[in-house]
Amino acid sequence: MKTLLKYREIWLLAAIVVLIGLISTRFPAFADPGNLRQVFNDTSILMILALGQMVVILTRSIDLSMASNLCFTGMVVAMLNAAHPAIPIPLLIVIALVVGLVLGAINGLLVWRLNIPSIVVTLGTLTIYRGATFVLSGGAWVNADKMSPEFIGFQRAAFLGIPVLSWIAILVIALFFILMTRTALGRSIYAIGVNPTASVYAGIDVGRTKFIVFCISGMIGGLAGYLWISRYVIASVEVANGYELNIIAACVIGGISIAGGIGSVGGAVLGALFLGIISNALPVINISPFWQMAISGSAIILAVVLNARGERQQGRIILRKMEAA
Amino acid sequence: MSDVPAPRHIPDRLDKPFRSAIFSWEALLVVVALAIFAINSFASPYFLDPYSLSDLTFNFTEKGLIAFAMALLIISGEIDLSVAAIIALASTMMGMAVQAGAGTPVLVAIGIVVGLGCGAFNGLLVTRLGLPSIVVTIGTMSLFRGIAFIILGDQAYKGYSESFAFFGQGYVWWVLSFELVLFLIAAVIYWFALHRTSFGRRVFAIGNNPVAAQFSGVRVGRIKFILFCLTGLMSGIASVLITSRLGSTRPSIAQGYELEVITMVVLGGVSILGGAGSIVGVVLAAFIMGLVTFGLGLLNVPGIVMSIFIGLLLIIVIALPIVWRRLRGGR
């Protein structure tokens, strides 16, 4: 039983290893540790976002507004930095988290208090937050020359040979791992996805838990906002346009079931890495980047087909340890 | 998508006719539409000109055509996020045919066939393999548009003929554009299919309870497959219109349309959980979105700010009845 549940992540890991192997036949340097570190760093933001989306999808909801949240919060911190370069970066990150949290809480309140389906709420806020970015900035861009060197340099600084951006991703992965496997909240998130009605009888406040997951995905969106802007050193209304679907794609490839209740932190991370490896590999093996969309589309469809077969055989188990024992 | 929905009932016509007419979703939409129309006519002197009102219709006709089929699909409990990508792929194929010297009838046929084919592909994946449509169509969305990108790269196809331009730019009579006439004809056809035939009844039944529908002898898989094909077909037709109106094909054509179409459908009172909705509501929602976009355009409000209004409208219109019920003590 235990091995069955680990199944999906193991298969995905194997697929990633095979993928790297295939790429290195064409371009041997791709599998160098240094290059793989680079790929990890490039994929950091997508991994973080996929984790934020994961907790939402696990509760049978969906958050389409993450990329717009990223865009808005990124603009807020960029403008703050341009106006007051003296604000230390850690404080800016806290501000980004708070702004993201507020945007996420708006989604969460609408879902929790008014019981509007999350897809409708976040479809609305997707356009509202992006529009609000325009109102906030007056349509202007914030360019690299307006940003302070600390703002740009913070995530690039190496610590133990690894950039801070990667460390942030590792920290977020660790936090989510603890949340999902070691806390009552994590357990509730799984329970709601598997059976909302039973969760109510078990004393879980379904509405409040959904509110909390939207707050989490909002905070993640905000954090990613700062990271994205300082990485690509441009803040505009166009930032991360259409990226919400990439985030969901990473989750789907990672084996997180859209029907809720199935998925793991490892899966979300590996799903994001899979997409990151593809986008990193195409240029070095001389395939036009225009192939990327079709490849990730095929990967999504394949993943859904494989996962659906797994789900039917597996059934859904929350208490893995008790099953295994 | 959400937990335990409240029980819904199909027969909206069996309710008390007067009360349901006054307090219905459509009535709310009519009020909203009239309000926006009035604000627009005061805000800009150019608004009430017949020619400018005719221009307004181009804002919603193409998306509206897809919205009809999407409404049926969402009522049946499924969704299709790949419609804009189907437009891009169909448009790319038409562009290739133009380079090969194909005539206008061939182009239209290609648009329609590619649309149908993509819709059938979605339908097969969802019904044959029993996959969730939201993720399948996210996948096919990347796939279809991805193929368009592979074929086109950063190029654009041009060179569409004069005769082809009629579909997106021509007028049938005075200020009635071909697109608007098509939209109105499609509205009648879809209204009839959904509200006056057993097929429409079955679509509602599937959305309310697919298992019960299956046991009542409704061929759930087959009907869902037909609905996916219809959505693909309408996307193909929309692709002909858009390509003709723009006179060129880029792989980024119709970017973001899928979300606008779904917004239109939900704004029209179709339940995203399936089982409830009406074509009249979708027509009204199309008009409202067209009015908002056009009215703000006359006031020189940039497109991205308009999307704030559309988003707010969506959430407010959905939230209003809920808040209203709460205030009245709720049932």
Side-chain angles (χ1 to χ4, degrees):
Chain A
M1 200 68 225
K2 214 170 176 177
T3 46
L4 253 187
L5 283 158
K6 296 263 186 212
Y7 217 46
R8 226 179 250 198
E9 289 76 15
I10 295 289
W11 275 108
L12 188 57
L13 191 61
I16 286 178
V17 170
V18 169
L19 186 68
I20 294 175
L22 281 174
I23 295 164
S24 33
T25 56
R26 297 268 312 257
F27 185 77
F30 192 81
D32 288 352
N35 186 57
L36 292 180
R37 270 209 300 270
Q38 178 64 44
V39 172
F40 184 90
N41 197 48
D42 274 339
T43 317
S44 289
I45 298 176
L46 181 59
M47 277 189 264
I48 294 171
L49 287 164
L51 287 169
Q53 183 69 262
M54 176 190 77
V55 290
V56 177
I57 293 181
L58 283 175
T59 65
R60 295 195 186 182
S61 309
I62 197 156
D63 187 351
L64 293 170
S65 70
M66 279 185 99
S68 300
N69 178 336
L70 180 162
C71 176
F72 181 86
T73 314
M75 183 58 84
V76 170
V77 292
M79 285 169 75
L80 269 177
N81 178 259
H84 310 283
I87 301 177
I89 299 303
L91 182 60
L92 263 187
I93 292 180
V94 172
I95 292 170
L97 285 167
V98 171
V99 173
L101 174 69
V102 170
L103 297 184
I106 294 171
N107 289 334
L109 280 174
L110 287 166
V111 171
W112 176 26
R113 284 297 175 198
L114 294 181
N115 236 328
I116 307 175
S118 58
I119 188 168
V120 176
V121 170
T122 54
L123 189 62
T125 52
L126 171 151
T127 56
I128 294 171
Y129 295 163
R130 202 169 277 281
T133 312
F134 183 92
V135 173
L136 179 78
S137 66
W141 296 15
V142 181
N143 297 329
D145 54 345
K146 294 201 191 85
M147 298 175 191
S148 71
E150 296 80 22
F151 184 90
I152 298 169
F154 176 77
Q155 63 155 312
R156 289 175 174 72
F159 176 71
L160 300 180
I162 294 174
V164 168
L165 176 61
S166 295
W167 283 114
I168 292 176
I170 291 165
L171 176 71
V172 171
I173 293 167
L175 285 175
F176 269 89
F177 185 77
I178 293 165
L179 169 75
M180 297 317 293
T181 59
R182 296 284 178 278
T183 66
L185 175 62
R187 180 55 52 87
S188 313
I189 289 171
Y190 276 114
I192 289 172
V194 174
N195 192 333
T197 316
S199 306
V200 174
Y201 287 114
I204 296 168
D205 188 336
V206 174
R208 211 175 114 250
T209 310
K210 281 194 174 179
F211 172 72
I212 293 171
V213 296
F214 277 101
C215 289
I216 293 173
S217 74
M219 277 171 85
I220 290 289
L223 173 66
Y226 163 71
L227 295 174
W228 183 292
I229 301 298
S230 62
R231 179 159 183 77
Y232 301 106
V233 291
I234 178 93
S236 77
V237 178
E238 289 297 309
V239 162
N241 211 347
Y243 207 71
E244 53 279 326
L245 295 171
N246 282 17
I247 304 168
I248 296 167
C251 288
V252 170
I253 293 174
I256 291 148
S257 166
I258 210 84
I262 300 180
S264 69
V265 172
V269 170
L270 290 172
L273 271 175
F274 187 88
L275 288 175
I277 288 169
I278 288 176
S279 62
N280 264 282
L282 291 182
V284 299
I285 54 175
N286 286 329
I287 294 180
S288 147
F290 292 119
W291 280 79
Q292 194 187 324
M293 241 180 149
I295 293 174
S296 34
S298 314
I300 296 165
I301 297 168
L302 195 67
V304 179
V305 172
L306 295 174
N307 291 337
R309 287 175 50 209
E311 265 158 53
R312 278 195 212 105
Q313 292 158 2
Q314 240 180 55
R316 300 183 175 184
I317 293 104
I318 312 180
L319 299 168
R320 304 176 178 197
K321 291 222 167 54
M322 290 179 69
E323 280 292 322
Chain B
M1 300 314 293
S2 116
D3 50 42
V4 212
R8 294 176 308 259
H9 56 292
I10 309 178
D12 46 351
R13 282 184 297 128
L14 305 182
D15 282 348
K16 302 188 188 91
F18 284 114
R19 271 198 55 190
S20 68
I22 294 168
F23 289 107
S24 71
W25 189 282
E26 287 79 9
L28 175 71
L29 289 178
V30 168
V31 171
V32 171
L34 287 175
I36 297 172
F37 197 89
I39 293 168
N40 275 344
S41 49
F42 281 113
S44 166
Y46 308 106
F47 179 74
L48 281 174
D49 177 64
Y51 290 96
S52 91
L53 284 178
S54 157
D55 284 346
L56 181 157
T57 60
F58 286 99
N59 284 323
F60 64 78
T61 41
E62 293 146 358
K63 291 165 203 154
L65 282 169
I66 306 173
F68 296 140
M70 182 76 84
L72 267 58
L73 194 59
I74 291 181
I75 289 170
S76 81
E78 301 289 348
I79 197 163
D80 186 350
L81 290 169
S82 69
V83 288
I86 295 176
I87 292 176
L89 186 56
S91 186
T92 305
M93 295 298 173
M94 284 188 267
M96 284 172 80
V98 163
Q99 309 309 313
T104 300
V106 177
L107 291 187
V108 176
I110 287 176
I112 289 172
V113 169
V114 171
L116 252 180
C118 292
F121 183 66
N122 283 331
L124 279 178
L125 282 173
V126 172
T127 56
R128 286 276 154 197
L129 301 174
L131 305 173
S133 56
I134 184 166
V135 259
V136 167
T137 54
I138 285 177
T140 53
M141 170 183 154
S142 293
L143 182 66
F144 297 153
R145 202 181 278 280
I147 296 170
F149 266 108
I150 290 171
I151 294 171
L152 265 169
D154 49 5
Q155 307 296 309
Y157 283 133
K158 283 196 170 61
Y160 291 101
S161 65
E162 284 291 315
S163 62
F164 184 71
F166 171 78
F167 298 106
Q169 301 166 21
Y171 289 84
V172 175
W173 175 73
W174 189 41
V175 292
L176 279 180
S177 66
F178 175 77
E179 287 199 5
L180 182 63
V181 171
L182 204 59
F183 172 84
L184 294 173
I185 292 171
V188 173
I189 294 172
Y190 275 92
W191 173 83
F192 188 82
L194 183 63
H195 299 294
R196 291 288 177 274
T197 65
S198 59
F199 173 80
R201 221 1 114 203
R202 291 189 178 111
V203 171
F204 277 115
I206 293 170
N208 270 287
N209 191 333
V211 179
Q214 185 79 47
F215 281 117
S216 318
V218 177
R219 292 181 176 172
V220 174
R222 206 172 101 175
I223 288 188
K224 280 186 177 175
F225 177 74
I226 292 171
L227 292 178
F228 275 105
C229 289
L230 270 180
T231 310
L233 171 74
M234 297 313 276
S235 307
I237 293 172
S239 181
V240 172
L241 298 178
I242 294 170
T243 309
S244 157
R245 187 165 54 87
L246 300 176
S248 73
T249 297
R250 285 194 172 75
S252 60
I253 194 172
Q255 197 100 51
Y257 268 36
E258 60 280 305
L259 296 178
E260 288 185 48
V261 168
I262 292 166
T263 303
M264 206 178 265
V265 172
V266 175
L267 191 61
V270 172
S271 163
I272 199 90
L273 308 169
S278 80
I279 292 296
V280 178
V282 176
V283 173
L284 287 168
F287 276 118
I288 288 175
M289 282 174 77
L291 283 169
V292 170
T293 316
F294 190 74
L296 293 172
L298 284 176
L299 300 175
N300 288 327
V301 174
I304 187 124
V305 180
M306 292 178 193
S307 59
I308 302 184
F309 286 90
I310 302 278
L312 282 174
L313 203 62
L314 176 72
I315 291 178
I316 290 168
V317 168
I318 302 272
L320 264 181
I322 300 171
V323 175
W324 173 248
R325 267 204 303 275
R326 289 265 170 88
L327 290 176
R328 287 179 51 203
R331 270 175 300 171

